[in-house]
Amino acid sequence: LGIAQLEDSLILSSLEVLVFEDNDLDSEAGSILGRVLQENQHIRQLNVSGNCIGNDGVGDLLKGAQESQSLQFLELNRTGIDAGVLDAVVMCLLHRSTRRAQNESLQSLTISMHGNEIGRVALEAFVQCLPDDCQDCLECDSFVVENGVLSRRDYSVFFQQYTEENCIGNLDIIKEGVDDEGASEIALLLKENQDVQALRLSWNSVGDEGTAALAGA
């Protein structure tokens, strides 16, 4: 069954958590889920990451989130959106007139740089325009480095630029050829920077020595 066939059931459902991650959902599905959020006041968490919903579908979904009095957590990672969706995010978060929080139930809106095309400059500029109470709920504190972007000599520069200045909470260094020596260097940098709360080193070459160094960071 597709989302269209489930729409009525989802509206009437008492489910509080909906996870549709990596399910080939499209723009129409985003619009349907937006209507579900408008009508269903039980849903606390919605994850649509890993679906090519795009700006239009995510925009409609955010309109529904704007009306929800129950939604607390919304994840939009890898949904094929770009900077054009930021206006819809603003409408979801802020009252047009007062510029204060629009959806008082929403605690976390996660928009990863990875798999979206918003661009770091646009995202940072957008966040700076939000009042403090909305900045607290918008989680755009993740950064992904992937597929050979860094050389080892870049580690310290990278940490200084992207963690100390921007308070990155979640850092992914993927497919960068990180070995035990590189992991040890990263461990030293982590000790100096307490802002990083989550580190992912997928598809690298970290062995026991590097793992031990990271465990002690």
Side-chain angles (χ1 to χ4, degrees):
L1 290 176
I3 291 294
Q5 286 72 39
L6 293 175
E7 180 176 358
D8 290 341
S9 296
L10 289 174
I11 287 174
L12 297 174
S13 172
S14 59
L15 291 173
E16 296 184 356
V17 178
L18 297 179
V19 179
F20 292 106
E21 190 170 6
D22 297 313
N23 265 292
D24 295 323
L25 302 186
D26 56 12
S27 178
E28 181 182 1
S31 301
I32 291 170
L33 288 173
R35 294 195 293 271
V36 170
L37 289 177
Q38 284 181 312
E39 299 292 334
N40 186 319
Q41 296 303 313
H42 295 286
I43 300 170
R44 294 186 299 103
Q45 179 178 343
L46 175 62
N47 183 352
V48 293
S49 299
N51 295 286
C52 193
I53 298 175
N55 284 2
D56 290 342
V58 168
D60 287 342
L61 192 155
L62 287 169
K63 290 177 183 177
Q66 179 179 331
E67 301 298 327
S68 173
Q69 299 303 311
S70 61
L71 186 66
Q72 298 177 4
F73 304 97
L74 177 59
E75 296 188 44
L76 300 173
N77 303 323
R78 298 176 290 115
T79 49
I81 55 179
D82 59 30
V85 83
L86 294 182
D87 285 342
V89 176
V90 171
M91 290 296 295
C92 175
L93 294 176
L94 302 181
H95 283 292
R96 184 187 296 272
S97 56
T98 64
R99 301 289 293 174
R100 305 310 294 170
Q102 170 85 313
N103 183 320
E104 295 182 357
S105 68
L106 190 63
Q107 298 178 19
S108 174
L109 171 59
T110 305
I111 304 175
S112 173
M113 297 284 290
H114 182 45
N116 291 314
E117 299 181 4
I118 292 175
R120 185 163 194 83
V121 173
L123 191 56
E124 287 178 351
F126 161 74
V127 172
Q128 292 304 312
C129 293
L130 295 175
D132 290 341
D133 57 345
C134 287
Q135 288 190 36
D136 290 341
C137 94
L138 181 65
E139 291 186 1
C140 53
D141 60 350
S142 300
F143 194 76
V144 178
V145 187
E146 189 168 2
N147 292 326
V149 174
L150 293 179
S151 61
R152 183 172 299 151
R153 66 178 180 274
D154 294 325
Y155 289 158
S156 61
V157 175
F158 173 79
F159 267 74
Q160 181 179 4
Q161 180 178 0
Y162 290 111
T163 61
E164 291 181 5
E165 294 180 4
N166 296 308
C167 298
I168 298 299
N170 304 305
L171 178 62
D172 296 350
I173 302 178
I174 302 170
K175 297 180 183 178
E176 285 293 323
V178 178
D179 55 15
D180 283 342
E181 185 177 352
S184 298
E185 293 180 25
I186 291 173
L188 290 174
L189 292 165
L190 286 172
K191 290 181 180 180
E192 299 172 1
N193 188 300
Q194 300 301 311
D195 290 321
V196 178
Q197 299 175 1
L199 172 69
R200 184 168 65 147
L201 293 171
S202 303
W203 293 292
N204 285 293
S205 302
V206 180
D208 292 342
E209 181 181 340
T211 301
L214 288 168

